[in-house]
Amino acid sequence: MNLNIFYKILQKWKNIMTNPVKLRFPVHTLDGQLLLPEGSELTEDALGLLVAAHPSCALKTYPLMDHGTVQKDIFSLFNRPPYDVVFSDSDSIAEIVDIMKTVWFAAPVLDVLDFFKMQDVPTYHHMLTIFALTILIARDLIPGYRNRVSEIVCGPTHDFGKICVPLEILKKQQPLTLNELDHLKHHTLAGYVLLSYYFGDSRSIAALVARDHHERSNGSGYPKGIKQQDLMVEIVAVCDIYDALISPRPYRLDSFDNRTALEVLTAMAQKREIGWRVVKALIAHNRASKPGCHEAVVSVEKRGTPPADNCYGILADE
Ligand SMILES: [Fe+2]
Ligand SMILES: [Fe+2]
């Protein structure tokens, strides 16, 4: 490697590691309590003070699957193509549901799910879908994953920070301005702060997933541009992209068809933005024959057609 490039990479890494991230927007709870104002640096000390100020252990928790219509909604998501194939194995479903039943949340966390169910249904469905998909893929890829079920809470809470993004931005059908895009990206750090606060632990996997699920394996993501390394975070990240592609979104008229969505993931894996092993597992579950996640053959042939009128990634004039 050229010495100059090596030096630049080293500097970037040093900057990432030594400079704490600064919040570009405030972080508040659903009921409007300000946790950290705009401009706050996310240091260990700042988060430690916030966590210490909140008696998370005193919060009563409730089973997620018994909350409102969550269980019914998850089952209806299993029937929606292509998830009717992805979740077609009855033994897998039984085990996934069994694990889901072990997840309990405090009321403020459940309130956030209710908020999206009322105000932004696609985001609510997305949170539940990522919950199920994450468990499905973790079963394949994480040895002894049953011992890590406490980490499964990261699925439904990964986009928790979107309560700190105005609904007009979340539902905007036209290209976002740069400022609006920055505000949308704020959901990663906001989720990290909020979940650290509610779970009383800034190192909990749920908090880390909220912060890092838009990071990429080659460092091309956000908020910090670090290289994605944790497998659980990577699983959520890939499932997140997949579900976003095949589901309705405000910024495009049509969803991606399943073939094209899997081609997008394959192309991202080829560019080393996301990991092959998770993409392969997802592709294996998309095959009716259900090959093992290591045996699935991935086609790199491009046959799909992305939907027209997709303004994702296009910026509007300020
Ligand atoms: Fe997200
Ligand atoms: Fe998401």
Side-chain angles (χ1 to χ4, degrees), residues 126 130 158-159 162 187 213-214 240 249:
H126 173 69
I130 299 310
H158 78 284
D159 274 337
K162 285 191 175 173
H187 81 277
H213 70 278
H214 286 282
D240 182 53
R249 282 289 181 272

Side-chain angles (χ1 to χ4, degrees), residues 77-119:
L77 290 169
F78 286 161
N79 292 325
R80 189 189 72 183
Y83 290 123
D84 55 343
V85 173
V86 173
F87 292 103
S88 58
D89 178 57
S90 53
D91 288 346
S92 302
I93 294 212
E95 195 175 325
I96 289 169
V97 172
D98 206 32
I99 291 170
M100 285 172 156
K101 286 182 176 168
T102 66
V103 176
W104 290 47
F105 283 136
V109 178
L110 295 170
D111 288 346
V112 169
L113 273 178
D114 290 343
F115 170 78
F116 284 113
K117 186 180 167 187
M118 297 295 293
Q119 303 292 339

